[in-house]
Amino acid sequence: MIKVEVFSSPGCGKCTQAKNMLKAMVDEMGRGQITWREVDILEEMDYAVELGVMSSPSIAINGELVFSSLPSTKKLQSALNKWLA
């Protein structure tokens, strides 16, 4: 099982639409193999700092910070394919 965590903060205008698009892609691609969790960096600041999150939105895969900014769906799909292989 692959765990995708999206770190963002409330009020991030560009985050909501992009997160919805990426989540739809993950749901379609994962078919039960990928979990999705949205992390509010203000509520889980210690965890975000532990992973090295310095800005939002950021994405971690299996507890490892992979994208420090919002990736394109193509980049996220490529990263997830590596984990699924």
Side-chain angles (χ1 to χ4, degrees):
M1 182 72 71
I2 297 171
K3 180 173 71 171
V4 175
E5 295 173 298
V6 180
F7 294 82
S8 62
S9 60
C12 175
K14 65 181 177 181
C15 299
T16 304
Q17 183 179 3
K19 284 190 303 187
N20 291 339
M21 180 182 64
L22 292 175
K23 184 176 185 330
M25 185 270 305
V26 167
D27 287 345
E28 181 181 318
M29 187 181 165
R31 293 184 181 40
Q33 299 178 68
I34 302 172
T35 61
W36 176 275
R37 181 169 98 91
E38 294 184 20
V39 181
D40 181 335
I41 59 174
L42 299 179
E43 292 179 5
E44 298 187 51
M45 190 174 294
D46 291 341
Y47 180 56
V49 169
E50 180 183 316
L51 292 184
V53 173
M54 301 300 280
S55 63
S56 71
S58 294
I59 295 181
I61 300 175
N62 287 345
E64 176 185 326
L65 184 63
V66 178
F67 297 103
S68 57
S69 62
L70 200 64
S72 65
T73 53
K74 193 173 203 171
K75 286 183 180 180
L76 180 58
Q77 189 172 31
S78 176
L80 290 173
N81 278 329
K82 290 176 187 174
W83 286 93
L84 287 169

